[in-house]
Amino acid sequence: ILKIKSLFLYKVIMNSKLKLFAVAILVLLQNPLKASHIMGADISYSYEGNLIYKVTVKFYRECKGIPLNSPSFKIRCADSAIESSLNFTRIAINDISLRCKDSALPCQPANTVSASGVEEHVYISMLNFNFAPLNKFINAGCCELKISAEQCCRNGAITTIIPGNFYTEAMINICISNANKNSSPVFNSIPIQYLCVNTITSYDPGVMNIDDDDSVSYELVAPLNDNNNNETYTSNFSPIKPITVANGPTGFNFDK
């Protein structure tokens, strides 16, 4: 088994009548770690009625790192300084570690410093833009909003960037989305944790989108440590060269 120590970050774009949805992230790694823990996250939302959305955030935690508690959630206008903090409730902690059939789950007890493995922490929140404090975005005529989730710190085992604060976001145009009763794409696959050495690997993030008028595409992007602030890559890594691959005719290929 090849222990991957790198960051693979992408954005999912949903486009239908100027609707946009951005999502970050996957991390492929396993390495001893104690002080930091966040490997990645994804954000999705579902339309629940007039200006009401259910937002789901999934964090992926390295179980050798510190516990994941009290992440920060915000919503801000994309083109102004208007913002508001959000309250999310953690509804599940799932041990999603890849393991042999008869092996015990490594992340036990949940959300503690334990063996090498990966936990999925699921948070949800209902956003109602009809009432305060979120109606201030409607009153200000702000349509494009960023929903963000962050936590210190990004997994220190990542070697392709200088790991700092972990930040990711999704964008929603509530004016167009509400009119079309639109929901975001949803990830249906578990992020990769291991790759086999000297083996060609093809990975599909398993994004599903049920809205008929939408198109889905992908884009490699730089990881964020804050709103509009990128992490710093090491060596010659970049969004279009996120990992090192063996010499050969295929190399690293990305299908938008």
Side-chain angles (χ1 to χ4, degrees), residues 42-87:
D42 63 67
I43 302 174
S44 62
Y45 63 83
S46 62
Y47 176 83
E48 301 292 321
N50 183 34
L51 290 174
I52 302 174
Y53 296 87
K54 179 182 178 180
V55 180
T56 301
V57 178
K58 295 180 181 179
F59 284 101
Y60 298 98
R61 169 186 171 265
E62 162 61 49
C63 295
K64 281 190 174 182
I66 62 176
L68 195 166
N69 292 310
S70 304
S72 175
F73 303 94
K74 286 186 178 180
I75 185 168
R76 54 174 55 89
C77 187
D79 54 7
S80 76
I82 303 174
E83 66 176 35
S84 180
S85 296
L86 297 175
N87 294 318

Side-chain angles (χ1 to χ4, degrees), residues 3-76:
K3 295 187 177 181
I4 304 242
K5 299 180 292 182
S6 60
L7 177 70
F8 186 92
L9 181 71
Y10 58 83
K11 179 169 67 177
V12 178
I13 301 173
M14 175 189 71
N15 202 327
S16 173
K17 300 178 182 178
L18 302 181
K19 293 190 292 294
L20 178 67
F21 173 74
V23 124
I25 292 127
L26 284 180
V27 172
L28 318 178
L29 65 82
Q30 279 302 330
N31 212 33
L33 185 65
K34 293 183 179 179
S36 55
H37 56 308
I38 299 298
M39 301 172 67
D42 63 67
I43 302 174
S44 62
Y45 63 83
S46 62
Y47 176 83
E48 301 292 321
N50 183 34
L51 290 174
I52 302 174
Y53 296 87
K54 179 182 178 180
V55 180
T56 301
V57 178
K58 295 180 181 179
F59 284 101
Y60 298 98
R61 169 186 171 265
E62 162 61 49
C63 295
K64 281 190 174 182
I66 62 176
L68 195 166
N69 292 310
S70 304
S72 175
F73 303 94
K74 286 186 178 180
I75 185 168
R76 54 174 55 89

Side-chain angles (χ1 to χ4, degrees), residues 76-132:
R76 54 174 55 89
C77 187
D79 54 7
S80 76
I82 303 174
E83 66 176 35
S84 180
S85 296
L86 297 175
N87 294 318
F88 274 72
T89 301
R90 180 163 49 194
I91 62 169
I93 301 177
N94 304 312
D95 191 334
I96 61 170
S97 307
L98 297 180
R99 60 192 178 98
C100 297
K101 181 179 178 181
D102 297 326
S103 299
L105 290 170
C107 300
Q108 302 296 328
N111 203 28
T112 61
V113 180
S114 55
S116 180
V118 182
E119 283 180 340
E120 176 190 68
H121 292 238
V122 184
Y123 289 79
I124 63 169
S125 182
M126 297 296 295
L127 307 187
N128 190 334
F129 293 93
N130 295 289
F131 303 103

Side-chain angles (χ1 to χ4, degrees), residues 19-251:
K19 293 190 292 294
L20 178 67
F21 173 74
V23 124
I25 292 127
L26 284 180
V27 172
L28 318 178
L29 65 82
Q30 279 302 330
N31 212 33
L33 185 65
K34 293 183 179 179
S36 55
H37 56 308
I38 299 298
M39 301 172 67
D42 63 67
I43 302 174
S44 62
Y45 63 83
S46 62
Y47 176 83
E48 301 292 321
N50 183 34
L51 290 174
I52 302 174
Y53 296 87
K54 179 182 178 180
V55 180
T56 301
V57 178
K58 295 180 181 179
F59 284 101
Y60 298 98
R61 169 186 171 265
E62 162 61 49
C63 295
K64 281 190 174 182
I66 62 176
L68 195 166
N69 292 310
S70 304
S72 175
F73 303 94
K74 286 186 178 180
I75 185 168
R76 54 174 55 89
C77 187
D79 54 7
S80 76
I82 303 174
E83 66 176 35
S84 180
S85 296
L86 297 175
N87 294 318
F88 274 72
T89 301
R90 180 163 49 194
I91 62 169
I93 301 177
N94 304 312
D95 191 334
I96 61 170
S97 307
L98 297 180
R99 60 192 178 98
C100 297
K101 181 179 178 181
D102 297 326
S103 299
L105 290 170
C107 300
Q108 302 296 328
N111 203 28
T112 61
V113 180
S114 55
S116 180
V118 182
E119 283 180 340
E120 176 190 68
H121 292 238
V122 184
Y123 289 79
I124 63 169
S125 182
M126 297 296 295
L127 307 187
N128 190 334
F129 293 93
N130 295 289
F131 303 103
L134 299 184
N135 63 346
K136 64 183 178 183
F137 296 102
I138 301 296
N139 297 336
C142 182
C143 290
E144 283 198 355
L145 303 175
K146 292 180 180 180
I147 302 169
S148 67
E150 63 181 303
Q151 167 92 113
C152 185
C153 292
R154 193 183 292 273
N155 198 312
I158 300 169
T159 59
T160 51
I161 60 170
I162 301 174
N165 186 57
F166 180 86
Y167 175 97
T168 190
E169 63 186 25
M171 185 179 288
I172 176 175
N173 187 317
I174 57 174
C175 301
I176 299 176
S177 178
N178 186 66
N180 291 276
K181 301 179 180 180
N182 191 259
S183 299
S184 76
V186 176
F187 289 93
N188 286 322
S189 64
I190 295 176
I192 291 177
Q193 297 167 35
Y194 293 95
L195 296 180
C196 293
V197 68
N198 295 326
T199 301
I200 295 175
T201 300
S202 178
Y203 176 66
D204 179 356
V207 170
M208 296 292 293
N209 186 27
I210 62 174
D211 296 308
D212 293 336
D213 296 330
D214 288 339
S215 62
V216 176
S217 63
Y218 302 85
E219 179 183 358
L220 289 168
V221 296
L224 297 170
N225 55 38
D226 204 349
N227 181 38
N228 296 325
N229 193 36
N230 294 341
E231 295 277 44
T232 301
Y233 280 92
T234 60
S235 185
N236 61 342
F237 292 107
S238 69
I240 60 174
K241 187 185 178 182
I243 59 175
T244 299
V245 295
N247 294 329
T250 55

